[in-house]
Structure formats: C-alpha cells, structure tokens
Amino acid sequence: MDTKPWVVQGTVAAPVAAVAGLLLAVREGRVGDDNLLVLARASAARRGAMTVVASEAAGTYRAELAGPLEPVEIQADSRGSTLAVQSWYGGVYAVTACPAGALVTHRVHRVVPGHPGFADGIADIGLRTRMDRDLRDVLDVIADRLGC
C-alpha cells in the first residue's frame, strides 16, 4: 500500500460557503453534478450505475456501484468543509478561504497499487495528472453553477 501524499489545488472566485455547499452536497440517490459531485465524472456515475446510500452515522454515506467494484465510503463534514472518500484510494477534499475566494484542495494520502482504479495512474505523474483533471472538472461545474 502506497502512503505517499498527492495534492492538487484550485480556486473558485466565490464565497467559501457557496463552494462548500456544492462540493459537500451528498444525499441518497443517483450520483451527479448535484449529488457527490467529486465522483460524478467516474465512469460508473456517467452510466448511471453509482448510487449514494446513507449509513447510520450522520454525514456518512456509501456509493454503491453496479458490477464487481466495491462500494466507496464517503464522509461529509460541513462544519470542517471536508469530504473524505475511501475506495482504491483514500483522499480528502477541503474548502478554505483564500484571496481569490475559495481554495479547494484534494489530498490523496493512500493508494492501493495494482487496483484496477489505479490502472491509468501507475506512476506518480499519472495519478497527479488524473487528480488535476478531475479537480478542474469539479471546479468548472461549481463555477458554472455559481455564475463565476
């Protein structure tokens, strides 16, 4: 198991609360731009095969996928403006204030090597490139929805 941290960041010219509201929006139902946005571009979500189910603990969810993939564990903390995702990787999205508006950081702190989800990111550069692309996509949706 690789425990090297990977970090990508981006900004949105909008209030932190508005950005966090969209980034941390998680509820039961199908994953999309208005529900678990950080996974909305995953191939299973694009096929409509990813659904969020609430767990017993407040702010804790599971994204279930059709097929042989294991569920993704999600923990949303609106007070701390963070969203933790645990699957073939362990990562945290965080929203903080910055001079430009809201700074969104995605930090992956654990990756399971050899997992099919890591197939296109075997080297550090591949994972970092994928993280950067995915975060840009998320920030583009948020900026569009907030009109900034």
Side-chain angles (χ1 to χ4, degrees), residues 10 18 29 46 65 68 70 84-86 92 94 110 112-113 116 119 135 145:
R46 288 192 317 263
L65 295 89
E70 65 276 0
V85 177
Q86 181 65 53
V92 176
R110 187 180 70 79
V112 177
L135 183 61
R145 298 223 14 231

Side-chain angles (χ1 to χ4, degrees), residues 2-146:
D2 194 338
T3 58
K4 178 181 180 182
W6 292 270
V7 179
V8 293
Q9 296 180 319
T11 59
V12 179
V16 171
V19 173
L22 294 173
L23 186 74
L24 306 178
V26 183
R27 59 173 167 61
E28 288 193 309
R30 190 168 278 174
V31 172
D33 285 352
D34 62 344
N35 188 28
L36 194 55
L37 172 60
V38 300
L39 295 182
R41 300 297 181 273
S43 60
R46 288 192 317 263
R47 292 191 318 269
M50 186 183 294
T51 305
V52 176
V53 177
S55 298
E56 290 183 24
T60 304
Y61 302 87
R62 185 177 68 252
E64 295 184 345
L65 295 89
L69 298 174
E70 65 276 0
V72 177
E73 301 297 324
I74 299 113
Q75 186 168 15
D77 178 1
S78 58
R79 287 191 299 191
S81 295
T82 61
L83 180 74
V85 177
Q86 181 65 53
S87 64
W88 58 270
Y89 71 94
V92 176
Y93 291 84
V95 184
T96 56
C98 72
L103 174 67
V104 178
T105 303
H106 181 203
R107 180 180 309 275
V108 170
H109 52 81
R110 187 180 70 79
V111 173
V112 177
H115 189 282
F118 196 46
D120 65 350
I122 298 299
D124 287 355
I125 189 82
L127 181 59
R128 193 172 317 279
T129 299
R130 179 177 175 171
M131 288 173 60
D132 188 54
R133 177 201 65 212
D134 292 350
L135 183 61
R136 264 195 328 263
D137 289 347
V138 166
L139 297 180
D140 286 348
V141 169
I142 290 172
D144 182 62
R145 298 223 14 231
L146 295 176

